[in-house]
Amino acid sequence: MSAAHVTGGADMQTLELSKAFTLIEPGPVVLVTTHDGHVPNIMTISWTMVMDFTPVFAITTGAWNHSFAALSKRRECVLAIPTVDLLDTVVGIGTCSGRDTDKFSRFGLTAMPGKSVKAPLIKECLANIECTVADIIDRHGIVVLEAVAAHIDPERRERRTVHAVGDGTFIVDGRKFDRRTMMASKLPPGV
């Protein structure tokens, strides 16, 4: 590397390996709704991933989350995409349990029926993706989801999603940079 590419005067410092995950921000924080056959529930998930250009996603969760039992048994859920104006609601949902809390009621959210799954959509979110469980990789707590329907609120003014750093702080999507022309050969048609 030439000297022209080196900037700044500080040396690199060692970072504890237990904090390395805070350097790689996952996809946006999502609200995952489930239905156990009796009542709906919501959990906040900050570790999400798009698997490909296909409608396949992954989340990380496990038996420690109350919703996981319904997710495992019913094999379906909704990924509801909140925006920054719902950040306190998102954090609140993530810091209480559906074992003893009706989260829709407590946080003033509106459950709406989906087209393909029993888990509800969340009206206040920018978008909702109805999913079925394609696989659960227990060893890593990874749930692979296949989208079966998607909905977006075109009237919603706030569109900035929230990303968790993992240490109690969040990053909000900002300005978009358009490089579609440069990437045209790598993008699927219609994207």
Side-chain angles (χ1 to χ4, degrees):
M1 180 183 277
S2 72
H5 291 99
V6 177
T7 59
D11 290 331
M12 297 289 271
Q13 296 179 356
T14 300
L15 178 68
E16 295 173 44
L17 282 178
S18 64
K19 295 181 180 178
F21 71 91
T22 65
L23 300 174
I24 300 176
E25 176 194 329
V29 175
V30 298
L31 297 174
V32 178
T33 69
T34 56
H35 198 290
D36 66 5
H38 304 288
V39 295
N41 193 32
I42 313 169
M43 65 177 160
T44 299
I45 296 291
S46 58
W47 290 332
T48 62
M49 183 172 76
V50 173
M51 300 288 287
D52 199 345
F53 287 113
T54 62
V56 177
F57 307 94
I59 60 173
T60 302
T61 188
W64 59 88
N65 276 330
H66 176 68
S67 292
F68 186 71
L71 185 63
S72 298
K73 181 180 177 184
R74 296 288 183 172
R75 311 250 340 147
E76 65 178 32
C77 67
V78 170
L79 299 178
I81 314 301
T83 50
V84 67
D85 55 323
L86 294 172
L87 180 58
D88 290 343
T89 297
V90 167
V91 172
I93 288 168
T95 56
C96 66
S97 175
R99 281 182 187 85
D100 53 25
T101 305
D102 174 349
K103 295 183 187 183
F104 278 94
S105 177
R106 178 171 177 184
F107 295 99
L109 297 173
T110 309
M112 296 175 50
K115 287 183 178 179
S116 302
V117 301
K118 186 157 179 126
L121 311 179
I122 300 176
K123 181 180 181 178
E124 290 76 14
C125 286
L126 170 64
N128 289 268
I129 306 169
E130 298 179 54
C131 299
T132 57
V133 174
D135 196 7
I136 297 177
I137 305 165
D138 289 318
R139 179 174 180 221
H140 297 289
I142 296 172
V143 180
V144 180
L145 304 168
E146 185 169 348
V148 294
H151 317 271
I152 191 161
D153 181 353
E155 303 292 317
R156 195 155 203 302
R157 294 186 64 134
E158 183 59 74
R159 300 180 83 74
R160 295 174 295 161
T161 58
V162 178
H163 300 258
V165 174
D167 61 359
T169 62
F170 298 84
I171 296 170
V172 176
D173 281 343
R175 186 173 156 209
K176 281 189 177 185
F177 298 90
D178 187 342
R179 298 296 184 271
R180 291 180 188 176
T181 302
M182 289 177 67
M183 295 183 63
S185 66
K186 298 292 183 187
L187 299 175
V191 171

